[in-house]
């Protein structure tokens, strides 16, 4: 039987991200952890296993918070970058009834269809957009910014925990820690097809970064708020990397089964979705 380990979480603190200068970073020391989910974890999918021990050989830094609208805007204003959503088919969003998603050519990071401030996580950005942002910030600062690897992401998300979520195994205890599909979303979208947590975080759409309690490494929103692009291909066969990239963490309209440390999402590198953003890692 698995012995649950739940390190203490930390209070919510606003992020000190500086547009154009780089996000607030947390140094993650080298170590080892068990990646993936055990066979008895509720909601487990085959692609989350088998569990294996991963050794993180080198320390790295990872942004405490997800990349914000203000940070991404600084990049766009400095470079003239046009996101793939703006240049192409738009962004995938919930329809008005909340019964399904739809592609909206008029939706993008500037207007995802719900209100956002500069402090909210940028959404409707593709994997390619996120990589372009990291490359620009690297040139601007002289530091090496990049998307985290999938193993780095899960190591940071777990923060020493062995439970399904960094706060424990109970999805209905998550409203202090993660913005996901809960009773607040259910009131807005009662016909929504996915499951809801029974708790209420008071947030329907994205929340300002850093609003929820942090994990034991001091990281905010590693679960919930927005899915986060990582560097890796979804398929073991790297030839298919063009087709699918991994995203992690779950997003604001995804139910508890998706908001777990081991859950692996995927999308095309050109896809833009209103529940998807990113955070950066940095080499030390």
């Amino acid at each position: 039987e698995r012995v649950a380990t739940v390190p203490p979480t930390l209070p919510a603190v606003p992020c000190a991200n500086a547009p154009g200068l780089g996000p607030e970073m947390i140094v993650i020391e080298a170590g080892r952890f068990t990646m993936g989910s055990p066979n008895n974890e509720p909601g487990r999918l085959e692609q989350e296993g088998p569990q294996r021990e991963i050794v993180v050989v080198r320390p790295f830094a990872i942004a405490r918070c997800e990349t914000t609208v203000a940070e991404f805007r600084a990049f766009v204003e400095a470079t003239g970058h046009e996101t793939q959503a703006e240049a192409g088919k738009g962004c995938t969003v919930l329809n008005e009834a909340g019964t399904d998603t739809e592609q909206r050519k008029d939706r993008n990071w500037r207007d995802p269809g719900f209100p956002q401030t500069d402090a909210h996580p940028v959404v409707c950005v593709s994997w390619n957009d996120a990589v372009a942002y990291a490359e620009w910030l690297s040139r601007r600062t002289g530091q090496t910014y990049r998307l985290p690897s999938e193993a780095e992401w899960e190591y940071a998300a777990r923060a020493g925990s062995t439970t399904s979520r960094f706060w424990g195994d109970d999805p209905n205890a998550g409203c202090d820690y993660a913005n996901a599909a809960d009773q607040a979303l259910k009131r807005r979208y009662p016909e929504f097809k996915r499951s809801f947590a029974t708790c209420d975080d008071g947030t329907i759409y994205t929340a300002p970064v850093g609003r929820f309690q942090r994990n034991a490494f001091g990281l905010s929103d590693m679960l919930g708020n927005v899915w986060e692009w990582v560097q890796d291909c979804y398929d073991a066969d790297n030839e298919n990397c063009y087709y699918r990239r991994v995203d992690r963490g779950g997003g604001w309209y995804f139910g508890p089964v998706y908001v777990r440390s081991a859950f692996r999402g995927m999308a095309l590198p050109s896809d833009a979705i209103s529940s998807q953003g990113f955070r950066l890692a940095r080499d030390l």
Side-chain angles (χ1 to χ4, degrees):
E1 183 177 346
R2 185 170 52 136
V3 178
T5 301
V6 185
T9 55
L10 299 171
V13 178
C15 277
N17 291 4
L21 299 177
E24 178 186 351
M25 306 295 286
I26 299 290
V27 173
I28 307 298
E29 299 297 339
R32 64 181 64 214
F33 76 108
T34 300
M35 187 171 181
S37 58
N39 291 333
N40 62 347
E41 184 167 302
R44 181 186 189 272
L45 298 177
E46 183 179 356
Q47 59 262 32
E48 297 171 24
Q51 284 189 296
R52 60 269 188 211
E53 184 179 61
I54 299 293
V55 177
V56 179
V57 176
R58 297 178 180 175
F60 63 98
I62 191 167
R64 183 165 81 76
C65 291
E66 294 157 337
T67 303
T68 64
V69 171
E71 290 176 285
F72 196 78
R73 181 183 295 112
F75 158 59
V76 170
E77 291 178 348
T79 65
H81 179 84
E82 184 179 39
T83 63
Q84 292 191 274
E86 292 170 288
K89 60 186 179 180
C91 185
T92 300
V93 301
L94 277 181
N95 64 18
E96 179 59 29
T99 55
D100 204 351
T101 58
E102 61 182 0
Q103 198 77 30
R104 288 279 300 267
K105 191 171 176 60
D106 61 334
R107 298 302 188 200
N108 53 64
W109 73 274
R110 301 176 191 273
D111 179 11
F114 50 84
Q116 286 199 301
T117 69
D118 281 355
H120 283 74
V122 67
V123 296
C124 294
V125 287
S126 69
W127 185 91
N128 294 319
D129 294 326
V131 169
Y133 174 83
E135 291 174 347
W136 168 76
L137 191 62
S138 297
R139 293 191 301 270
R140 184 178 177 90
T141 63
Q143 305 284 341
T144 304
Y145 287 96
R146 54 180 174 80
L147 294 176
S149 71
E150 189 173 8
E152 288 173 334
W153 187 95
E154 188 170 328
Y155 180 52
R158 289 187 176 279
S161 65
T162 58
T163 49
S164 57
R165 303 155 179 90
F166 65 82
W167 65 82
D169 285 317
D170 183 1
N172 297 309
C175 286
D176 289 333
Y177 310 96
N179 173 29
D182 64 348
Q183 296 305 297
L185 189 75
K186 185 176 183 179
R187 287 192 297 272
R188 172 63 181 85
Y189 297 109
E191 302 301 318
F192 192 57
K193 295 178 181 178
R194 293 192 177 97
S195 62
F196 298 91
T198 60
C199 60
D200 189 334
D201 64 18
T203 300
I204 299 173
Y205 306 107
T206 57
V209 299
R211 172 180 167 180
F212 293 86
Q213 290 186 40
R214 297 169 289 158
N215 71 13
F217 284 175
L219 299 169
S220 298
D221 304 308
M222 289 299 290
L223 296 180
N225 218 18
V226 294
W227 288 95
E228 299 177 10
W229 289 113
V230 297
Q231 187 66 40
D232 298 54
C233 308
Y234 185 78
D235 303 283
D237 178 3
N238 283 348
E239 290 183 3
N240 289 327
C241 213
Y242 173 79
Y243 299 104
R244 300 194 291 186
R245 292 279 183 173
V246 177
D247 51 18
R248 288 298 209 108
W252 59 268
Y253 65 76
F254 284 79
V257 69
Y258 300 93
V259 186
R260 295 181 293 112
S261 298
F263 190 89
R264 303 179 72 232
M266 59 86 179
L268 299 178
S270 60
D271 281 347
I273 306 168
S274 66
S275 62
Q276 192 156 19
F278 66 98
R279 81 175 68 217
L280 294 182
R282 191 183 72 206
D283 292 339
L284 298 177

